[in-house]
Amino acid sequence: MSNSSYGKMSNEKILRSLGERVREIRKDRALSQEALAERADIHVNHLRRIELGQANPTYLVLLRISHALDVSLPKLLSLV
């Protein structure tokens, strides 16, 4: 997908927004990074990098995170 699909938003800003959204929902659910990583079956370091906007998670990882947070994928991706 090209940057033009998101206007002037850079890839880095998109990844940071996604990370902030994951962190926000995780904290709303009172989950630690370790607990969410375990529920999503991903390494905690990968989750940390996602939350910091330093990793570009695959579709399958996003599905596992959304399932672990008990939120739909579209809702997880909203505001990104």
Side-chain angles (χ1 to χ4, degrees):
M1 190 174 293
S2 70
N3 280 347
S4 63
S5 301
Y6 294 99
K8 303 265 184 203
M9 196 173 229
S10 71
N11 290 339
E12 292 81 16
K13 286 182 182 179
I14 292 167
L15 292 175
R16 274 196 306 271
S17 293
L18 173 61
E20 289 169 5
R21 183 76 173 137
V22 170
R23 184 181 314 111
E24 172 190 345
I25 297 171
R26 175 180 60 77
K27 288 185 174 188
D28 285 347
R29 304 287 193 272
L31 291 170
S32 66
Q33 287 180 329
E34 292 79 6
L36 176 56
E38 185 176 324
R39 285 184 182 193
D41 194 29
I42 61 174
H43 197 281
V44 68
N45 288 341
H46 189 45
L47 178 61
R48 286 184 182 125
R49 291 184 63 239
I50 292 168
E51 287 192 358
L52 291 171
Q54 297 173 347
N56 188 355
T58 66
Y59 177 74
L60 294 176
V61 167
L62 290 172
L63 280 176
R64 291 201 305 255
I65 290 171
S66 68
H67 180 72
L69 290 170
D70 194 29
V71 65
S72 69
L73 186 55
K75 185 171 181 175
L76 178 66
L77 297 176
S78 68
L79 305 175
V80 172

